[in-house]
Amino acid sequence: MGHAPNPVPHPVAIPHMLSLRNRRRYACFIALFFCATRMLLAVDPVTFEFKVAPSDQNPFAREIWAEVITPAHETVKLPAFYEGKDQFAVRARADEKGEYRLGRLSETVDGQTVTLAAKKAGSATAKVRTVENLPAIRVDPKRPARFILSTGESFVPIGANLPWSHGSNRVGFYRGAFKSFAEANLNWVRVWMAHWGGLNMEWLPGDMGSSPPRGTLDLQVAKNWDQLIDAAEASGVYLQVVLQHHGQYSSKVDSNWHSNPWNAANPGGFLAAPTDFFTSPEAIRLTRMKYRYIIARWGYSPAVMAWELFNEIHWTDAVRETHNEAAVAQWHLQMAAFIRSIDHYGHLVTASMDNLQSPIVADMDYLQPHLYVPNILTGVRRQSSSTITTLNRPVFYGEVGDDHLTLSAQIKASGIDIVPPVWASLMGQCQIPAQPWQGLQLLQTNRLGELGAVARFLAATKLGQREGLTPFSALVECPVHVPLTLIGGQLWQKQPPQEITVPMDGRDSLDFARIPRIYVGSKDSLAEGYSGRTTFHFDFPKSSALAFHITDSNTAAGAIRISIDSTMSVEKSWSAQEAKTDVKPYTDVIQVPISAGVHTVVVENPGSPGWFDLSQIDLGLDVPVLAATGQRSKDFIAVWVWHRNGVFSLQPTPAAQGAVLIDDVPPGIWQVIWWNSIEGKASQPTTLSHPGGVMHIPTPPISRHAAVVLTRVAS
């Protein structure tokens, strides 16, 4: 969930460059997504430096503007930034050949524009012979749920989070990481302006000395960002730059509030509580000043895909504790408008939040919620239908991670569980890949190539560009079977009581993502939006026995009720427990017999004060060990097939073979290509003549996962 170092557990209520750039003229090979591999030449921005008369005002707060005249004689007014020693600079994107000139300088003082006399630190002209060749990213105006490059080509972000650097050489870490990402054909990295990573200009880690006085920014950190942006641009990797993160203004979730320089409890601090950040005039003034500096210094670069205002804003005290969503929404609206008003090159603006319908994210260019769930292969494929149909902008998971997967520490440490959810996400409602949180782990475990395999698959199949695709779950015939088990889609999820029809043949329904694990009973928890009841519809092929696994509860008195066809079958309750560390939560396995045929089963918390965690429901039936999910249209079908036991296994499991059955496939000649989804290699294409109806696609031996693409080449 975008954890800061030493995260604070959830409470019981929710268990939950100027000189550098002149040294950078070299070429590098990258594969730009959906483009042919090309040679990129790193291009310096057009930079003019000048000195202005000293002022009593804080130089970082001075709103100095510079006009830059382009070779086409267009005048571009850009914000200038402070370099130190009374020297300022302006940077423009070198997007035209020819001569650029520095024009009029001005300053905004008390809302009035004043012309400045300045001493130029260098030439007032700059000759551009090689233009910037890294395309910028926009939302596609014709297909607003997609991204597009400034060259007109489609763009699909595929990469991982590298939120902060590791090791003493912070810039070196990113330079090497970006190079590795480019070599793997990856094009997206999410980086935080976090103090412990040495990338927060207001708040330094201990090894970099004292934080600068309030209202000033650390120029060494700014120079580090110069190099970081430079390295990203040279590698062709786009950055999603996170300007703020929740821990800065949370007292309970991943909290850094105690050491925040703006905390009034610290020398020079002025905020009495984390919630004040969004309403304090001084905090708003200083934040706008910092954002202006960021845009002025790095807004020239097309390597910046987006400015992310906040990571996981829902964990800040203002949203989680005081529920002042209106104030936080107003802050986001104003900051987004401010950035757009000064960002001449029109970078995208985003924020990450769990509720995509919140007014907080109403004005964001695209949305990227985060996902840490027990049933990740299903959960990552789903967004609410209202989200997809009404938001009308790109949506993808900006973080996915294994926090709540019931896997061993050894398996998680291996990194084998990181990439399969990305494959699954391609077959879901977003169609834009989910971005793994564990980018560092992919590097450390030498698994970055597995993520690169996804990129090669997307580039070859153009899956991320296609319109009119519908996600579906396919039936698989396979002689090897495993128990049919339902696990919760999320731990703590705000949603109304759910009604779910369970296919009994092993198809992995998107509705499984809606199955809750936590069942609440108190009026307060229900009023907050958490679930207390789920209705399941089954059609059992034979008599069986259901096993309900309760694996956790809080210390309050709790109860569970299970009804079959409107008749109570079981009700169990347990008394309140003392809140001591040596007291184990209530656990149980409740067995309930059920006859063959159609049944409605209701699981609920019958109003008890406590909550319980229903981790899984064993249905007493077996299903094929291979499962399949995909995207389809009348002429194109993509399917990802995984081995239920092997997809996250530390050691390869015995391979299973079978056939994927796809309903209602139009007649015609279909080309079939299987993909090795670990290596990103395609088989030789074969063709089959299909008369229409159910199509049987024999699988190769699969021990982990594989993909198949079918294209109708003739009717």
Side-chain angles (χ1 to χ4, degrees), residues 61-129:
R62 296 184 68 175
E63 296 186 22
I64 294 178
W65 301 85
E67 292 181 351
V68 176
I69 296 92
T70 72
H73 307 293
E74 177 189 1
T75 298
V76 179
K77 186 177 180 180
L78 299 170
F81 62 92
Y82 182 58
E83 292 187 300
K85 299 181 179 180
D86 298 323
Q87 182 161 299
F88 289 78
V90 63
R91 289 175 175 171
R93 186 175 298 172
D95 48 13
E96 296 178 43
K97 288 185 179 181
E99 185 177 84
Y100 287 76
R101 293 183 291 112
L102 178 63
R104 187 173 74 107
L105 301 175
S106 62
E107 183 171 10
T108 302
V109 180
D110 296 329
Q112 301 297 315
T113 299
V114 179
T115 299
L116 281 181
K119 180 180 180 181
K120 299 175 181 61
S123 174
T125 63
K127 191 78 170 180
V128 170
R129 294 179 173 85

Side-chain angles (χ1 to χ4, degrees), residues 497-514:
Q498 297 295 301
E499 192 161 344
I500 296 167
T501 299
V502 179
M504 311 300 282
D505 55 13
R507 284 175 295 165
D508 194 75
S509 170
L510 278 176
D511 288 342
F512 290 171
R514 298 190 285 116

